[in-house]
Amino acid sequence: AIQMTQSPSSLSASVGDRVTITCRASQGIRNDLGWYQQKPGIAPKLLIYAASTLQSGVPSRFSGSGSGTDFTLTISSLQPEDFATYYCLQDYNYPFTFGPGTKVEIK
Amino acid sequence: EVQLVESGGGLVQPGMSLRLSCAASGFTFDDYAMHWVRLAPGKGLEWVSGISWNSGSAGYADSVKGRFTMSRDNAKKSVHLQMSSLRAEDTALYYCAKSVLPAAPRAFDIWGQGTMVTVSS
């Protein structure tokens, strides 16, 4: 199975900060990668798919980039509602695999 | 309204079986692949299983392969997860999720509220 790693595992940031989360695949996955946001007690929310396609209804401050093995999620200006845990998911082939998550906390 | 509603969770003893269901509404169900994802207490998200729009292909996480079977009934707009030989480490909130694009298995845009499975003696 393809292994996914994320960095950092957690970060502290302030409202208005630019935040970058990286995800790395153990082998090339083209652009078959999505980013999800999860808050406690709420189902995960799709932010980005196909590495850089913004899901409908998701604010434009979220963006994704990368292909092959290295990917990035960027939040251009962190908002109070963005404090959450973020996961990448490779959907290149079965079994799909999530990264371990990055918890974004208030500084 | 596009909606997924899971059911079938509960408390079960190790080694026993359980069948989860997910009822879909508000979209053309048989156009989309469907998936199960779980969230164990204190852990991260884990993809469990996925099935193509026509049941032609299915995939499983290594941790459940050989023990779990996913199926779908397009006439009833539902998917199921038959879980057997359950272990304590299968304890989790199980989400049903829909793929974002027709006929492609990737990216999950609609999620249910989840159904809790607890495996304990």
Side-chain angles (χ1 to χ4, degrees), chain B residues 9-30:
Chain B
L11 174 63
V12 62
Q13 293 183 334
M16 301 299 284
S17 299
L18 202 61
R19 187 184 191 230
L20 305 184
S21 297
C22 171
S25 59
F27 64 99
T28 307
F29 180 74
D30 50 9

Side-chain angles (χ1 to χ4, degrees), chain B residues 28-46:
Chain B
T28 307
F29 180 74
D30 50 9
D31 279 352
Y32 294 89
M34 298 293 295
H35 301 265
W36 290 95
V37 174
R38 67 186 181 185
L39 181 65
K43 300 282 185 69
L45 294 173
E46 181 184 17

Side-chain angles (χ1 to χ4, degrees), chain B:
Chain B
E1 180 190 4
V2 179
Q3 194 173 15
L4 298 171
V5 179
E6 301 95 336
S7 60
L11 174 63
V12 62
Q13 293 183 334
M16 301 299 284
S17 299
L18 202 61
R19 187 184 191 230
L20 305 184
S21 297
C22 171
S25 59
F27 64 99
T28 307
F29 180 74
D30 50 9
D31 279 352
Y32 294 89
M34 298 293 295
H35 301 265
W36 290 95
V37 174
R38 67 186 181 185
L39 181 65
K43 300 282 185 69
L45 294 173
E46 181 184 17
W47 177 85
V48 173
S49 181
I51 191 166
S52 63
W53 62 276
N54 63 353
S55 302
S57 66
Y60 300 91
D62 291 344
S63 59
V64 307
K65 201 167 189 176
R67 300 188 298 122
F68 290 12
T69 301
M70 187 175 182
S71 61
R72 67 187 294 158
D73 185 336
N74 285 348
K76 295 183 178 179
K77 298 184 180 181
S78 62
V79 292
H80 308 280
L81 187 67
Q82 180 67 45
M83 306 185 294
S84 61
S85 303
L86 283 162
R87 306 167 180 167
E89 53 265 36
D90 296 318
T91 294
L93 183 63
Y94 284 73
Y95 292 104
C96 172
K98 164 191 166 290
S99 288
V100 68
L101 298 173
R106 55 188 51 87
F108 318 145
D109 63 334
I110 303 297
W111 298 66
Q113 82 289 350
T115 187
M116 187 67 200
V117 173
T118 302
V119 184
S120 175
S121 54

Side-chain angles (χ1 to χ4, degrees), chain A residues 1 30 32 36 38 42-44 46 49 55 87 89 91-92 94-96 98-100, chain B residues 35 37 39 44-45 47 50-51 58-60 62 95 100 105-109 111-112:
Chain A
R30 301 182 308 193
D32 295 330
Y36 297 79
Q38 180 156 44
I42 300 175
L46 175 64
Y49 65 95
Q55 169 63 1
Y87 296 90
L89 169 74
D91 47 28
Y92 172 71
Y94 286 152
F96 293 172
F98 282 96
Chain B
H35 301 265
V37 174
L39 181 65
L45 294 173
W47 177 85
I51 191 166
Y60 300 91
D62 291 344
Y95 292 104
V100 68
R106 55 188 51 87
F108 318 145
D109 63 334
W111 298 66

Side-chain angles (χ1 to χ4, degrees), chain A:
Chain A
I2 298 172
Q3 306 301 315
M4 305 300 294
T5 57
Q6 279 184 241
S7 61
S9 57
S10 65
L11 65 90
S12 295
S14 301
V15 172
D17 284 353
R18 181 182 182 88
V19 169
T20 298
I21 299 168
T22 63
C23 181
R24 176 166 289 176
S26 60
Q27 66 183 72
I29 58 170
R30 301 182 308 193
N31 70 337
D32 295 330
L33 183 112
W35 290 97
Y36 297 79
Q37 176 193 69
Q38 180 156 44
K39 298 179 181 179
I42 300 175
K45 176 183 178 181
L46 175 64
L47 302 174
I48 302 281
Y49 65 95
S52 60
T53 301
L54 189 68
Q55 169 63 1
S56 176
V58 173
S60 59
R61 63 180 180 272
F62 291 93
S63 63
S65 63
S67 68
T69 60
D70 295 308
F71 302 86
T72 299
L73 173 70
T74 299
I75 309 172
S76 61
S77 177
L78 199 66
Q79 297 302 300
E81 60 268 30
D82 300 337
F83 292 96
T85 300
Y86 294 84
Y87 296 90
C88 61
L89 169 74
Q90 72 80 14
D91 47 28
Y92 172 71
N93 65 7
Y94 286 152
F96 293 172
T97 41
F98 282 96
T102 295
K103 189 172 185 179
V104 177
E105 299 176 303
I106 301 172
K107 191 171 186 178

